[in-house]
Amino acid sequence: MTGPMVDALVDVMLPDGRRVDVTLRDGRISAIADHQQAVSTPAADRHVVYCGGALLLPAFVDGHCHLDKTFWGTPWRPHRASGSLRERIAHERELRARIGVPVTTRATALAEHMVSLGTGHVRSHVDIDPDVKLDGLHQLLEVREALRDKLSIQLVAFPQSGVVTAPGVPDLLDAALAAGADLIGGLDPAGFDGDVDGQLDVVFGLAERHGAGIDIHLHDGGDLGIRQLHAIAERTKTLGLSGKVTVSHAYCLGQVSDVSVDRTATALAGAGVSLMTNGPAGTMPPVLRLRDNGVRVFAGSDNIRDAWWSYGTGDMLERATIIGLEGGLMTDEELGYAASLVTDSAAAALGLADYGLAPGNRADLVVIAAANPAEAVAGHPERLLVVHDGRVVSRKTVRHADNSKAW
Ligand SMILES: [Zn+2]
């Protein structure tokens, strides 16, 4: 269920400090004009929301999460620390089998929560392995369809148990892309599969065959990770896939010298490979340095309350806060950059069409109790109104019928 169609947002603050009135029509922004102080009574059939000078941003983009893994909406489960990556994968499998709540229920609960926090677009990875096969994908395809009026969802076929070391996975990934997954994933080609070319041959081969994008989890550290970033950049360039390839995490960039970061950033920027970070303590890539080298960086939640990670709220402004803290972002300009990681940069990395605050673009919007993007990132304050495709999908305390300050 979605709320009413909105005809106009009156008195919102744009990121550049202009106070404007925004007119919406047929799910799009039709006009943005300077705010008119004079109060005119709207026609009875027009749905006008007075926003009292609150900040307007395009709806947030969560560029990396795992909707199939979350335990959101189920009772709290203590985290069990365990050893190797393979042991943790086995533990997760056992826990998910015992939980007794379907993926559709848990994923929907989390997705609805994300919507209430102003997220309009999500890229979710979904496990494809010899055990679950395409089960998780089919369930997330169902969730995507059920929530299509509130949230757009991209799905990445994610080989959680490896590509070349897990029997039958290349065929399962092929089937996943045929069944509706938008992108092909990967997982530590060296550290997990021990075969960089073997995994990348499958991943890039399937991407080419299906015309799909690529989003590879890369946790491998130091020079081992750096070498794989160069290999990915090289393949991306050779195959002309600029703008369609993401590396998620790339902790290695937070562990090597500035010289190595700059050299690798040049290769990634030249190839059009984007980087996703969730702001991990101690291993976050140096986001400002990457920006200055022309690399498109964007943000995602990654794991939210699941077998891997107890934390997470799905709040993309809070994610921008976490990245800002970890990256030492302090000035308004730098905090504005943090905001772009969950809006414009993420939208560009995900290839979202018609995104942003301009006439003709999609009316996927969030009104925030802040005066500017810097304040929004610093305090991740309340989301007053969330609009998707021109309709209200979440509303807090925005008042009607007068234009007094609403927050
Ligand atoms: Zn992930």
Side-chain angles (χ1 to χ4, degrees):
M1 278 288 288
T2 54
M5 192 76 88
V6 178
D7 292 301
L9 300 173
V10 172
D11 194 12
V12 284
M13 185 77 80
L14 294 182
D16 64 9
R18 275 190 303 149
R19 287 178 82 148
V20 297
D21 300 335
V22 178
T23 313
L24 311 182
R25 186 180 298 160
D26 300 329
R28 302 261 159 181
I29 297 171
S30 58
I32 299 178
D34 287 344
H35 172 53
Q36 300 300 315
Q37 290 293 343
V39 180
S40 58
T41 309
D45 61 345
R46 276 174 58 80
H47 188 86
V48 173
V49 184
Y50 294 90
C51 298
L55 176 67
L56 179 70
L57 290 180
F60 301 127
V61 181
D62 190 333
H64 184 126
C65 65
H66 294 264
L67 289 175
D68 58 328
K69 292 180 185 288
T70 189
F71 299 149
W72 197 266
T74 72
W76 177 259
R77 257 156 251 276
H79 182 68
R80 194 179 86 180
S82 49
S84 71
L85 187 56
R86 285 181 190 276
E87 282 166 9
R88 294 182 71 182
I89 291 166
H91 169 59
E92 181 192 23
R93 193 170 299 149
E94 174 202 319
L95 204 55
R96 281 166 67 179
R98 273 196 284 123
I99 194 165
V101 180
V103 168
T104 46
T105 306
R106 293 181 274 116
T108 301
L110 177 54
E112 298 261 16
H113 181 67
M114 291 167 156
V115 168
S116 76
L117 293 166
T119 294
H121 312 276
V122 160
R123 175 181 285 181
S124 176
H125 296 248
V126 53
D127 286 9
I128 305 290
D129 67 27
D131 204 40
V132 300
K133 299 187 172 64
L134 305 192
D135 291 356
L137 173 66
H138 287 306
Q139 291 181 78
L140 288 194
L141 286 168
E142 245 179 72
V143 171
R144 168 158 84 182
E145 184 56 27
L147 296 181
R148 58 181 299 168
D149 293 340
K150 298 179 174 184
L151 185 68
S152 74
I153 301 176
Q154 289 184 353
L155 296 171
V156 186
F158 173 48
Q160 175 71 85
S161 300
V163 176
V164 294
T165 53
V169 165
D171 288 342
L172 288 169
L173 293 170
D174 193 7
L177 290 166
D182 306 284
L183 299 100
I184 171 93
L187 173 64
D188 292 326
F192 198 87
D193 270 347
D195 183 353
V196 175
D197 282 337
Q199 183 176 128
L200 295 182
D201 281 349
V202 172
V203 169
F204 279 83
L206 287 173
E208 259 204 308
R209 190 177 326 153
H210 291 272
I214 294 173
D215 191 331
I216 298 173
H217 279 70
L218 184 66
H219 314 90
D220 286 339
D223 288 337
L224 182 65
I226 294 292
R227 281 199 297 278
Q228 292 171 81
L229 287 177
H230 282 278
I232 290 166
E234 208 173 295
R235 285 176 182 257
T236 301
K237 203 164 187 174
T238 306
L239 295 173
L241 292 175
S242 174
K244 297 195 75 179
V245 177
T246 293
V247 175
S248 286
H249 299 307
Y251 300 144
C252 54
L253 286 166
Q255 301 168 327
V256 295
S257 69
D258 286 351
V259 173
S260 183
V261 169
D262 289 348
R263 196 181 303 134
T264 309
T266 302
L268 294 170
V273 175
S274 303
L275 285 183
M276 190 294 304
T277 187
N278 66 332
T283 53
M284 188 175 85
V287 293
L288 292 178
R289 197 170 187 96
L290 291 166
R291 174 188 67 170
D292 294 344
N293 276 289
V295 180
R296 176 175 291 135
V297 181
F298 66 103
S301 296
D302 202 15
N303 300 83
I304 298 173
R305 203 174 291 185
D306 59 22
W308 297 86
W309 194 243
S310 302
Y311 292 91
T313 61
D315 182 347
M316 293 316 291
L317 269 187
E318 183 186 48
R319 185 59 50 190
T321 309
I322 291 168
I323 292 169
L325 284 169
E326 183 62 21
L329 311 186
M330 294 300 286
T331 65
D332 278 18
E333 188 271 324
E334 289 169 351
L335 292 172
Y337 173 64
S340 79
L341 302 181
V342 301
T343 53
D344 303 16
S345 286
L350 267 63
L352 301 179
D354 306 333
Y355 179 91
L357 301 178
N361 284 346
R362 288 177 54 99
D364 301 333
L365 305 165
V366 54
V367 178
I368 303 159
N372 54 49
E375 186 181 10
V377 169
H380 48 90
E382 191 163 36
R383 294 346 102 80
L384 303 171
L385 180 77
V386 185
V387 172
H388 192 79
D389 199 20
R391 288 184 179 278
V392 174
V393 290
S394 178
R395 161 176 249 155
K396 296 284 164 52
T397 55
V398 176
R399 288 182 197 160
H400 272 270
D402 66 52
N403 66 351
S404 61
K405 196 172 169 75
W407 47 280

